[in-house]
C-alpha cells in the first residue's frame, strides 16, 4: 500500500473520546520543501505568519461591523409573529431537506471515515445524505482541475430528482471550494439552502500539501516544484487552483485559474450573478479548527487571510477586501445574521461527534428557514 493510500484510509488517534475520524490531508509543505524555499527570499516571515489567535475577538469584531438595529414597524412585527406561528404549526409535518457531502483531497466516498460521516449525519438529522464522488475519487481529487470537478458535481445534482426542491451542501476541506463553485456557477441547478463548510480554504492557502511517497505522490511533488501558476501545473494539480502566495499577488491573479474567479477578485471580471447566488443562502456555517496545520493560515476557513504583499498579520474576514467590498456577498450574509463563525478544537478535519451534532445537524433538520429569512429582510427594510 502506498503512503498516500495509507494516509487516506486509516483513522488516526485522538484524545477526544467522541471523535469521528475523517481522513486528513497529508502534512503541508515544510520549511525545507523546494516549494516554500522558492518564496523564502520574498518574505522574512514564515508561511504561517504571526497573526495571533484572534478567534476570541471574532464575535466583538463581527458585532461592531453590523448595522445598528432599526425600530420595526407594527406591520413588520405582525409579519414576524405570523411567520413564527406558521413555523410552529408546520414543524411536525415538514420534510427534511437532503444533503450532499463533498470530500477533501486524497479522499473518496468509499472510505470508512467519509461513509460513516455521511451515514451518521443522516441518522441524526433524519435527512437523506449523499456523498458525491468525482471521477476516480482520490486520484482525480489531486489531478483534475477544480472547475472540472465542480462541473461534474453540477451535472450530478441536476440529474438527482431528490434534490430538485433544494438541498444542503456539506464540504470537507478542498470540497468546500467545489461546493461554492456549484452555488455560484451551476446554471439551472436546484437551489442550495444551507452550506456547512468544514475546514475550507476559502481565501486560499499559502502552502500546497505534500503527500510523501508512492507513484501519485512522486508526480504531485514534481508538479509542485514547477511554476505553480503555469498553465501546465494549473491544468494538472487541483490544489494549485487555490494556492495564494500573498507576496506573489500579480502572478496569482494572472495565472491561478480557479480561486480568483470564485472569489470575484479580478475587478474587470467581477460577476454580480456569483454574488447574488452565494448571498441567497439561508445559512453559511464556517467551521475552523483551532490546531489546523494543513490550511495556511487556518483562518482561511473563515475567509480570513494575509494582506496583499505580506505574510503578516492574519486579517480577520471583516478586514479583508473580499468582505468590505462584498465581492461575493459574504458581508451581505453576515449583516443579515446568516453567517456562523465556528471554532472547534483539534487538527484539520478532526471534528467530534458532539460538535457535529451541535454545529451541523441543526442545519440539516426540517426548518422554516426560507420563511424566517423573508421575515428578517422585512424587519430590516
Amino acid at each position: 500500500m502506498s503512503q498516500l493510500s495509507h494516509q487516506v484510509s486509516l483513522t488516526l488517534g485522538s484524545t477526544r473520546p467522541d471523535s469521528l475520524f475523517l481522513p486528513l490531508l497529508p502534512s503541508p509543505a515544510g520549511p525545507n520543501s523546494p516549494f516554500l524555499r522558492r518564496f523564502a527570499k520574498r518574505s522574512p516571515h514564515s508561511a504561517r505568519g504571526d497573526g495571533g489567535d484572534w478567534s476570541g475577538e471574532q464575535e466583538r469584531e463581527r458585532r461592531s461591523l453590523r448595522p445598528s438595529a432599526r425600530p420595526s414597524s407594527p406591520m413588520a412585527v405582525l409579519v414576524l409573529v405570523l411567520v413564527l406561528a406558521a413555523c410552529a404549526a408546520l414543524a411536525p409535518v415538514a420534510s427534511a431537506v437532503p444533503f450532499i457531502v463533498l470530500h477533501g483531497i486524497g479522499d473518496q466516498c468509499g472510505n470508512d471515515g467519509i461513509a460513516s460521516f455521511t451515514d451518521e449525519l443522516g441518522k441524526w438529522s433524519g435527512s437523506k445524505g449523499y456523498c458525491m464522488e468525482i471521477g476516480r475519487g482520490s486520484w482525480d481529487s489531486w489531478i483534475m482541475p477544480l472547475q472540472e470537478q465542480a462541473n461534474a458535481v453540477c451535472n450530478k445534482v441536476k440529474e438527482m430528482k431528490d434534490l430538485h426542491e433544494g438541498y444542503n451542501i456539506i464540504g470537507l476541506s478542498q470540497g468546500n471550494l467545489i461546493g461554492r463553485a456549484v452555488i455560484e456557477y451551476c446554471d439551472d441547478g436546484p437551489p442550495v439552502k444551507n452550506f456547512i463548510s468544514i475546514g475550507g480554504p476559502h481565501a486560499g492557502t499559502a502552502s500546497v500539501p505534500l503527500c510523501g511517497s508512492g507513484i501519485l505522490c512522486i508526480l504531485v511533488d514534481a508538479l509542485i516544484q514547477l511554476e505553480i501558476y503555469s498553465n501546465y501545473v494549473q491544468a494538472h494539480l487541483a490544489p494549485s487552483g487555490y494556492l495564494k502566495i500573498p507576496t506573489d499577488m500579480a502572478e496569482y491573479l494572472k495565472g491561478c485559474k480557479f480561486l480568483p474567479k470564485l472569489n470575484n477578485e479580478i475587478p474587470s471580471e467581477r460577476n454580480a450573478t456569483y454574488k447574488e447566488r452565494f448571498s441567497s443562502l439561508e445559512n453559511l456555517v464556517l467551521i475552523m479548527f483551532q490546531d489546523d496545520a494543513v490550511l495556511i493560515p487556518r483562518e482561511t476557513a473563515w475567509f480570513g487571510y494575509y494582506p496583499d504583499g505580506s505574510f503578516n498579520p492574519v486579517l480577520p474576514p471583516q478586514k479583508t477586501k473580499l468582505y468590505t467590498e462584498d465581492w461575493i456577498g459574504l458581508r451581505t450574509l453576515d449583516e443579515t445574521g446568516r453567517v456562523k463563525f465556528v471554532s472547534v478544537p483539534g487538527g484539520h478535519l478532526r471534528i467530534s461527534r458532539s460538535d457535529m451534532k451541535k454545529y451541523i445537524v441543526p442545519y440539516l433538520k426540517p426548518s422554516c428557514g426560507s420563511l424566517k429569512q423573508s421575515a428578517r429582510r422585512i424587519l430590516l427594510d
Side-chain angles (χ1 to χ4, degrees):
M1 179 181 291
S2 71
Q3 182 172 340
L4 178 63
S5 298
H6 179 77
Q7 287 172 321
V8 299
S9 63
L10 297 183
T11 57
L12 304 180
S14 173
T15 58
R16 304 172 69 194
D18 66 337
S19 290
L20 177 67
F21 306 119
L22 295 176
L24 302 182
L25 273 171
S27 299
N32 295 320
S33 71
F35 174 73
L36 283 188
R37 280 205 303 268
R38 287 183 53 233
F39 297 96
K41 297 179 181 180
R42 305 183 190 182
S43 171
H45 307 292
S46 66
R48 165 57 90 176
D50 190 25
D53 185 4
W54 45 265
S55 59
E57 301 174 1
Q58 178 66 31
E59 183 63 23
R60 292 192 298 276
E61 183 71 39
R62 183 160 60 92
R63 288 175 179 171
S64 67
L65 288 168
R66 280 190 181 169
S68 300
R70 285 166 282 183
S72 303
S73 67
M75 180 58 69
V77 173
L78 176 60
V79 169
L80 180 60
V81 170
L82 291 176
V83 167
L84 294 176
C87 284
L90 292 173
V93 296
S95 59
V97 175
F99 66 91
I100 67 169
V101 174
L102 299 171
H103 63 70
I105 194 170
D107 203 355
Q108 57 188 16
C109 291
N111 285 344
D112 290 342
I114 197 71
S116 297
F117 177 80
T118 306
D119 290 344
E120 293 197 0
L121 286 176
K123 291 176 183 177
W124 295 334
S125 66
S127 303
K128 180 64 176 177
Y130 303 89
C131 181
M132 304 292 281
E133 194 60 273
I134 301 169
R136 295 165 292 177
S138 58
W139 178 272
D140 280 341
S141 73
W142 273 102
I143 66 172
M144 183 186 289
L146 290 178
Q147 187 59 61
E148 292 184 23
Q149 296 190 41
N151 292 343
V153 174
C154 173
N155 291 332
K156 285 189 175 185
V157 298
K158 288 194 288 188
E159 294 171 356
M160 296 176 65
K161 293 182 179 180
D162 286 354
L163 308 185
H164 282 182
E165 298 300 318
Y167 65 107
N168 299 318
I169 293 179
I170 302 173
L172 296 164
S173 196
Q174 178 178 281
N176 287 289
L177 300 183
I178 299 169
R180 277 213 290 131
V182 171
I183 294 170
E184 295 181 27
Y185 306 154
C186 190
D187 295 332
D188 301 318
V192 178
K193 306 290 187 179
N194 299 308
F195 180 31
I196 299 100
S197 166
I198 306 172
H202 291 292
T205 184
S207 179
V208 174
L210 297 179
C211 61
S213 61
I215 296 176
L216 172 60
C217 295
I218 292 172
L219 294 174
V220 168
D221 291 353
L223 286 173
I224 289 173
Q225 294 179 44
L226 298 175
E227 286 294 329
I228 202 73
Y229 296 131
S230 68
N231 289 335
Y232 185 83
V233 175
Q234 290 288 310
H236 293 86
L237 183 65
S240 68
Y242 53 93
L243 182 77
K244 185 176 182 179
I245 304 300
T247 53
D248 246 16
M249 288 301 296
E251 289 299 314
Y252 162 76
L253 293 173
K254 177 182 177 182
C256 190
K257 303 300 184 185
F258 186 76
L259 192 64
K261 176 184 175 182
L262 185 70
N263 283 349
N264 256 343
E265 293 184 78
I266 304 175
S268 62
E269 300 178 14
R270 284 191 185 132
N271 191 317
T273 300
Y274 303 162
K275 176 180 177 179
E276 178 184 357
R277 291 175 176 175
F278 189 62
S279 61
S280 70
L281 289 170
E282 293 177 10
N283 291 285
L284 171 63
V285 182
L286 301 172
I287 299 176
M288 176 183 72
F289 294 91
Q290 295 167 8
D291 300 316
D292 199 327
V294 172
L295 300 185
I296 308 296
R298 64 179 179 272
E299 292 85 359
T300 186
W302 282 0
F303 285 90
Y305 209 68
Y306 306 111
D308 292 355
S310 176
F311 281 95
N312 279 303
V314 178
L315 300 176
Q318 291 86 355
K319 295 295 185 180
T320 64
K321 289 183 179 180
L322 178 144
Y323 183 99
T324 59
E325 298 180 7
D326 209 17
W327 293 343
I328 60 170
L330 180 62
R331 181 172 181 172
T332 297
L333 286 167
D334 192 27
E335 289 181 343
T336 51
R338 288 177 282 155
V339 182
K340 282 69 182 176
F341 295 96
V342 178
S343 177
V344 298
H348 191 64
L349 300 188
R350 297 288 190 92
I351 191 164
S352 68
R353 286 180 170 85
S354 58
D355 283 339
M356 289 167 60
K357 292 177 180 178
K358 182 176 181 180
Y359 298 117
I360 302 176
V361 172
Y363 300 98
L364 304 180
K365 290 183 175 181
S367 70
C368 294
S370 298
L371 286 174
K372 290 179 179 179
Q373 183 175 324
S374 298
R376 184 186 300 115
R377 287 173 177 170
I378 291 174
L379 290 173
L380 291 175
D381 290 339

